[in-house]
Amino acid sequence: MAKTLYDKLFDSHVVHEENGTALIYIDRHLVHEVTSPQAFEGLRLAGRKPWRISSIVATADHNTPTNGWDKGLAGIADPVARLQIETLSDNIREFGAKAYFPFMDARQGIVHVVGPEQGATLPGMTVVCGDSHTSTHGAFGALAHGIGTSEVEHVMATQCLVQKKSKTMQILVDGELGNGVTAKDVALAIIGKTGTAGGNGYAIEFAGSAIRSLSMEGRMTLCNMAIEAGARAGMIAVDDTTIDYVKGRPFSPKAEQWDAAVTYWRTLHSDAGAEFDAVVTLNAEDIQPQVTWGTSPEMVVAIDGRVPSLDLAKNEVQRGDWERAYAYMGLTPNTPISEINIDKVFIGSCTNSRIEDLRAAAAVAKGKHIAPNIKLALVVPGSGLVKAQAEQEGLDKIFIEAGFEWREPGCSMCLAMNADRLEPGERCASTSNRNFEGRQGQGGRTHLVSPEMAAAAAVAGHFVDVRQFV
Amino acid sequence: MNPFTKLDGLVAPLDRANVDTDAIIPKQFLKSIKRSGFGPNAFDEWRYLDHGEPGMDNSKRKINPDFVLNQSRYQGASILLTRENFGCGSSREHAPWALEDFGFKVIIASSFADIFFNNCFKNGMLPIVLSAEIVDTLFNQVTAVEGYKINVDLSAQTVTTPSGEVYKFEVDAFRRHCLLNGLDDIGLTMQQQDKIKVFEAKHKQAQPWLFA
């Protein structure tokens, strides 16, 4: 029978199945400081050891500061944050890991940037992490999703996860993306269409010619936001782009195993005729650069659009949500998106902090300067290696000359656990993934955009169509 | 984990769709390395008028009188009634920890985000999915009647209102079994360790690069 990619990945990891509940084997466990301390403590209290240490790759990212690194750990002003980062180091020292990139290591960074960059994420793997954006790794033809801390402990203790098979959804994007239209815009356009609950209960496979033409960075951006569509897992079939990216990375299969691995990886696609429980289609040509206007990623319109009016709401519940969103965002219905002025810009996060993202933003910012009303424009590379690469290409100088701040890697203002945050009422063009109330700081107003659109907004001082800007 | 069997509880209505886990427990409280003590900061940004940080004495903070859970009629509620896609966003288990610590044992909504839904069961909490129509009915009743309590019976898979309407709900058989008996997932999985070892050996032979 023709199988979907999800079926292949799931079925090949089933250890045991009973009444529709399966125990699936986990190949890679990514660990960070925020969702792991209680799991390690649980192991300690029960006298358990990790089942397979070589599956664990850890780094500190959520809490780490993006400046003041010359002072080392002492530079982390918040003692609670510092303790959490130190606790991760203590736990890895006690329990072990295949690799650990601690705070300030040259390879430290956002766990979803570090994993792929190290070759620690491979096609065909099951990948978990105590972080919802683990869906990112599905870009490699892997089954990857976020888990809670109890499950982090469960995977450490047993190398398995208790799972029920999800329904499958295929999201087909055919055609050619226009200039200035990125994977981020595809992700936001999809969420605008399906809603943030549209993917609940599903594993999504992104397919179609527009998806195949995306780079690995673009595919990671797209799969990263599967969770914003409600799906725990997003994935894309393996092709030459995947294999070329994986080749030669530190943890990728070496000479003698490489060919066998590639032969297997080439089977990781949905078979012709495989059936999905749901299919959603979009035309790539119809997708414009997107900007969110509200407090949920589904509150999104194209750059030439306006804040929608209440008569467009589909029901009473949505009317209520939109009214609260107008008030929180300080926006009135029918305001053209291009007339919204911004205070801050954030280029970074596990969605958009890879080298390609920084190149795209730098290309827009080059030779220009941020507008006088921009109080702060941050560029936070996804990892130490991305930062080094960008500096080698001179991107840091382009950003600095344009008035941006060039920071150290980490999650930073995506969730504002460290000192990088919005003040109440501040409005931000952000390349991150969530525009929830308070996400980037209490009272902060987030508009999600692509790196190109964020850089253009920084220069203009308000949202602007990057296609007319360049 | 504590077993969950039945609950007769006061219901509090949170009339919003897409309540995300950032709203349930804001990020600054995730710096804790403990599993408990998140209740006083559940819905922190909606519940208080000032900005909350870990270590503050919450009893001295300014309460937002407009936030529904601050109303006196809902004090002591153990059942949260809310709208679709509750718990979306981050995978933080701190969200169910905070709700549980606040006093909620049951959450009723027309749908839940997958990770949050799963996390509830790991903490002895029962998320119940009822149709949007039934949820609407319950919202009308809870706001009309002060001291509105409902009965939740996991064994029978029913929600019973004060006027005697009985609504059946679905729950996965395995999760129901674990919740009714307070079973620890890890202990159960460890009973399969021979199977895990057999699988692992075969998996390693087929894809040795995964074990490098």
Side-chain angles (χ1 to χ4, degrees):
Chain A
M1 203 182 97
K3 281 181 147 191
T4 64
L5 172 59
Y6 174 71
D7 291 332
K8 290 181 184 180
L9 293 168
F10 190 96
D11 295 350
S12 62
H13 287 86
V14 173
V15 169
H16 176 67
E17 195 161 5
E18 211 171 307
N19 305 324
T21 298
L23 205 54
I24 65 165
Y25 187 84
I26 301 303
D27 297 316
R28 176 67 68 226
H29 191 179
L30 302 168
V31 172
H32 66 86
E33 80 276 23
V34 176
T35 56
S36 66
Q38 298 87 351
F40 282 116
E41 183 65 11
L43 289 184
R44 203 176 282 120
L45 290 172
R48 291 176 173 133
K49 298 261 175 260
W51 180 283
R52 186 163 69 82
I53 289 165
S54 70
S55 68
I56 299 172
V57 172
T59 190
D61 56 6
H62 281 62
N63 256 317
T64 54
T66 58
N67 54 7
W69 279 26
D70 51 321
K71 296 186 222 56
L73 268 173
I76 307 175
D78 180 350
V80 191
R82 190 166 62 234
L83 175 65
Q84 197 170 54
I85 290 166
E86 288 173 329
T87 300
L88 177 62
S89 293
D90 291 345
N91 282 328
I92 297 297
R93 208 173 296 125
E94 179 179 344
F95 290 98
K98 176 186 178 69
Y100 176 44
F101 308 116
F103 175 50
M104 297 195 357
D105 185 281
R107 297 158 295 175
Q108 181 229 326
I110 307 173
V111 69
H112 308 307
V113 175
V114 169
E117 154 182 283
Q118 290 295 326
T121 302
L122 295 172
M125 273 184 167
T126 43
V127 181
V128 295
C129 175
D131 189 283
S132 60
H133 289 111
T134 309
S135 58
T136 308
H137 308 266
F140 290 82
L143 176 56
H145 57 71
I147 55 177
T149 296
S150 293
E151 289 178 320
V152 169
E153 183 182 341
H154 189 278
V155 172
M156 282 181 181
T158 69
Q159 211 58 42
C160 291
L161 201 58
V162 179
Q163 284 282 284
K164 269 183 95 76
K165 215 166 171 180
S166 302
K167 292 178 286 182
T168 54
M169 179 186 288
Q170 184 187 43
I171 296 185
L172 266 174
V173 190
D174 275 314
E176 206 172 318
L177 294 171
N179 280 334
V181 181
T182 69
K184 180 63 161 286
D185 302 303
V186 176
L188 288 171
I190 289 169
I191 295 161
K193 182 166 176 148
T194 63
T196 50
N200 282 358
Y202 289 94
I204 293 176
E205 180 178 347
F206 300 99
S209 58
I211 306 300
R212 282 194 298 276
S213 68
L214 291 174
S215 65
M216 282 316 294
E217 283 87 349
R219 294 177 188 190
M220 284 189 259
T221 299
L222 186 56
C223 289
N224 173 276
M225 290 195 73
I227 185 67
E228 263 59 66
R232 286 180 88 169
M235 62 198 73
I236 294 172
V238 173
D239 62 9
D240 288 342
T241 305
T242 326
I243 290 165
D244 292 346
Y245 181 97
V246 169
K247 193 165 191 177
R249 300 201 172 253
F251 300 144
S252 296
K254 297 292 169 282
E256 67 277 16
Q257 290 174 356
W258 176 256
D259 292 344
V262 170
T263 303
Y264 171 60
W265 295 344
R266 295 260 182 218
T267 68
L268 297 174
H269 53 77
S270 289
D271 295 329
E275 285 184 17
F276 293 83
D277 297 303
V279 177
V280 174
T281 57
L282 285 88
N283 284 324
E285 284 85 0
D286 295 342
I287 301 174
Q288 313 292 317
Q290 305 280 305
V291 183
T292 64
W293 62 268
T295 53
S296 162
E298 70 183 26
M299 298 177 184
V300 64
V301 290
I303 177 63
D304 60 358
R306 291 164 183 264
V307 175
S309 56
L310 278 184
D311 54 300
L312 297 172
K314 65 180 182 201
N315 55 34
E316 275 309 301
V317 174
Q318 190 169 63
R319 281 175 72 92
D321 283 356
W322 284 14
E323 281 177 319
R324 270 190 296 272
Y326 298 147
Y328 183 85
M329 295 298 289
L331 292 172
T332 45
N334 295 316
T335 304
I337 295 297
S338 58
E339 288 179 12
I340 300 173
N341 289 329
I342 55 171
D343 305 301
K344 287 184 175 172
V345 175
F346 173 61
I347 297 174
S349 87
C350 57
T351 313
N352 280 128
S353 65
R354 297 178 182 84
I355 189 67
E356 186 180 274
D357 300 316
L358 302 189
R359 285 176 189 146
V364 173
K366 189 169 186 177
K368 302 191 176 74
H369 202 275
I370 61 171
N373 59 308
I374 303 295
K375 297 182 210 166
L376 178 71
L378 277 185
V379 185
V380 182
S383 72
L385 295 183
V386 169
K387 181 170 187 258
Q389 173 72 29
E391 288 174 353
Q392 203 184 326
E393 297 178 17
L395 305 184
D396 57 327
K397 291 191 183 62
I398 293 173
F399 284 121
I400 291 165
E401 280 165 16
F404 290 81
E405 288 195 18
W406 180 247
R407 295 289 188 90
E408 304 292 348
C411 298
S412 180
M413 208 161 74
C414 172
L415 86 167
M417 265 190 92
N418 68 1
D420 310 333
R421 65 185 65 165
L422 299 181
E423 296 302 323
E426 282 183 342
R427 192 179 295 287
C428 182
S430 179
T431 68
S432 54
N433 40 58
R434 289 186 176 138
N435 51 348
F436 299 153
E437 286 183 26
R439 172 77 178 183
Q440 293 193 291
Q442 187 165 10
R445 295 162 171 167
T446 302
H447 296 267
L448 304 175
V449 288
S450 71
E452 287 90 326
M453 286 286 286
V459 173
H462 56 86
F463 292 108
V464 60
D465 191 334
V466 70
R467 294 170 300 183
Q468 291 153 18
F469 192 76
V470 182
Chain B
M1 191 175 82
N2 293 326
F4 180 102
T5 50
K6 287 181 183 179
L7 177 70
D8 239 332
L10 185 69
V11 183
L14 182 61
D15 196 358
R16 289 184 181 222
N18 300 310
V19 173
D20 59 77
T21 54
D22 275 81
I24 297 170
I25 183 81
K27 80 280 289 176
Q28 62 269 35
F29 304 106
L30 310 190
K31 293 171 194 167
S32 169
I33 56 172
K34 296 190 188 136
R35 219 182 167 110
S36 56
F38 295 102
N41 301 109
F43 301 110
D44 199 272
E45 292 184 6
W46 294 345
R47 198 166 150 198
Y48 302 99
L49 292 170
D50 56 352
H51 176 75
E53 283 293 333
M56 283 171 83
D57 180 352
N58 294 296
S59 66
K60 298 205 169 106
R61 293 177 60 198
K62 273 187 252 164
I63 295 285
N64 175 6
D66 295 334
F67 183 53
V68 66
L69 297 185
N70 286 334
Q71 294 175 17
S72 59
R73 62 186 285 193
Y74 299 121
Q75 298 314 301
S78 55
I79 299 173
L80 183 67
L81 176 67
T82 184
R83 299 282 182 182
E84 67 188 55
N85 202 27
F86 186 81
C88 60
S90 156
S91 67
R92 59 188 70 167
E93 199 163 314
H94 312 68
W97 293 340
L99 293 171
E100 204 267 345
D101 199 43
F102 184 91
F104 291 118
K105 302 283 179 272
V106 169
I107 304 166
I108 300 175
S110 54
S111 69
F112 291 88
D114 292 347
I115 302 178
F116 175 84
F117 186 75
N118 198 40
N119 283 342
C120 284
F121 287 98
K122 313 287 180 190
N123 292 281
M125 296 167 73
L126 177 63
I128 297 176
V129 179
L130 293 175
S131 73
E133 292 72 34
I134 298 173
V135 167
D136 258 342
T137 305
L138 294 178
F139 264 106
N140 290 335
Q141 293 180 359
V142 72
T143 42
V145 182
E146 201 151 333
Y148 185 84
K149 281 186 163 191
I150 58 174
N151 178 274
V152 175
D153 186 333
L154 176 55
S155 203
Q157 297 178 220
T158 55
V159 168
T160 309
T161 68
S163 50
E165 294 129 308
V166 179
Y167 301 113
K168 287 284 279 183
F169 62 87
E170 294 299 316
V171 57
D172 170 64
F174 176 75
R175 284 169 165 156
R176 177 171 169 272
H177 174 72
C178 290
L179 213 47
L180 282 172
N181 298 290
L183 296 177
D184 162 28
D185 267 10
I186 297 179
L188 282 178
T189 301
M190 288 306 270
Q191 292 173 11
Q192 307 292 338
Q193 61 177 306
D194 291 343
K195 283 184 180 152
I196 302 172
K197 283 177 187 160
V198 169
F199 177 91
E200 192 170 52
K202 269 170 43 189
H203 199 49
K204 188 171 179 175
Q205 202 170 20
Q207 297 179 61
W209 55 87
L210 297 177
F211 294 79

